[in-house]
Amino acid sequence: MKKKKLITLLASALLILGLAVGGTIAFITVITRRNTNSFEPGQVSCQVTEDFDGTTKSNVAVTNTGNTDAFIRAKVNVTWMKDDNSGDQTVSALTPKAGTDYAITYLTDTGWIEGGDGYWYYQSPVAPGAGTGTLIGECTQISTINAPEGYHLSVEILASSIQSSPEKAVSLEWGVTLEEGKIVSANGSGVMGE
């Protein structure tokens, strides 16, 4: 009789243990949810915006067309370009002279600063979809006397952008120095502006 009681007690304990483990597993299965992590890679791009009436280029700025905050820089190339509607982008070896052949007004109170490397830098990161302040208020041709025959004045703005974070990548890639999240010098040259 004692043996039968012991077997019954042992069987009851195993049954209770089985129910407890099974219930716990069922509970964990119901509570545990699958989390899906979606990572969107950063895309860095920009686009120059400007007004041009055929003789005067004005209100030149740059828009961040990427999906992450970015620093933006721009280079202004002024050349004599061949008069040709076929898409010929030939430029003359002669370089137009500011103040003689054309007048250009850079706006330094709009967040742009001039680096010692030929680029203009927008000091602060630009949010996706936002734009910089105006870099060029106005650029117009003064004279055609120095233009080679068959050429016209061309003012081209080349803009580039780089993800603003981590700051070390910006400083290494562009050779700039940042302080408190703003560009303060380029290629060892102090920048002019605010």
Side-chain angles (χ1 to χ4, degrees):
M1 190 86 165
K2 266 188 159 189
K3 201 175 190 185
K4 204 174 186 184
K5 267 185 161 179
L6 186 59
I7 292 174
T8 304
L9 187 60
L10 190 56
S12 296
L14 286 173
L15 182 62
I16 291 172
L17 183 63
L19 288 173
V21 169
T24 302
I25 291 173
F27 179 75
I28 290 173
T29 304
V30 169
I31 297 302
T32 303
R33 294 180 193 105
R34 175 174 282 177
N35 286 334
T36 304
N37 293 318
S38 298
F39 293 94
E40 184 178 332
Q43 296 172 354
V44 182
S45 60
C46 61
Q47 180 177 349
V48 175
T49 59
E50 63 188 20
D51 295 327
F52 184 63
D53 65 7
T55 59
T56 302
K57 185 174 286 221
S58 60
N59 301 316
V60 177
V62 183
T63 299
N64 178 355
T65 57
N67 65 3
T68 187
D69 290 358
F71 280 107
I72 294 176
R73 69 179 179 176
K75 188 172 193 109
V76 180
N77 288 330
V78 182
T79 59
W80 296 116
M81 186 174 287
K82 190 170 189 171
D83 293 334
D84 191 348
N85 291 333
S86 67
D88 185 355
Q89 298 291 304
T90 302
V91 295
S92 171
L94 297 174
T95 304
K97 293 185 178 20
T100 301
D101 300 316
Y102 67 96
I104 190 166
T105 305
Y106 292 102
L107 303 180
T108 56
D109 61 348
T110 59
W112 287 95
I113 52 178
E114 185 176 11
D117 58 355
Y119 282 94
W120 285 84
Y121 292 84
Y122 197 69
Q123 283 188 283
S124 301
V126 179
T132 66
T134 302
L135 170 60
I136 298 174
E138 187 173 278
C139 181
T140 188
Q141 187 169 337
I142 297 172
S143 170
T144 59
I145 197 163
N146 295 324
E149 188 175 333
Y151 286 78
H152 65 277
L153 185 72
S154 171
V155 180
E156 186 178 21
I157 315 307
L158 305 173
S160 57
S161 56
I162 188 168
Q163 191 168 325
S164 64
S165 180
E167 287 184 2
K168 185 175 182 180
V170 177
S171 61
L172 289 174
E173 185 66 27
W174 281 1
V176 298
T177 302
L178 290 108
E179 288 180 10
E180 298 179 10
K182 292 178 80 173
I183 295 174
V184 295
S185 69
N187 289 330
S189 300
V191 292
M192 299 162 48
E194 61 179 55

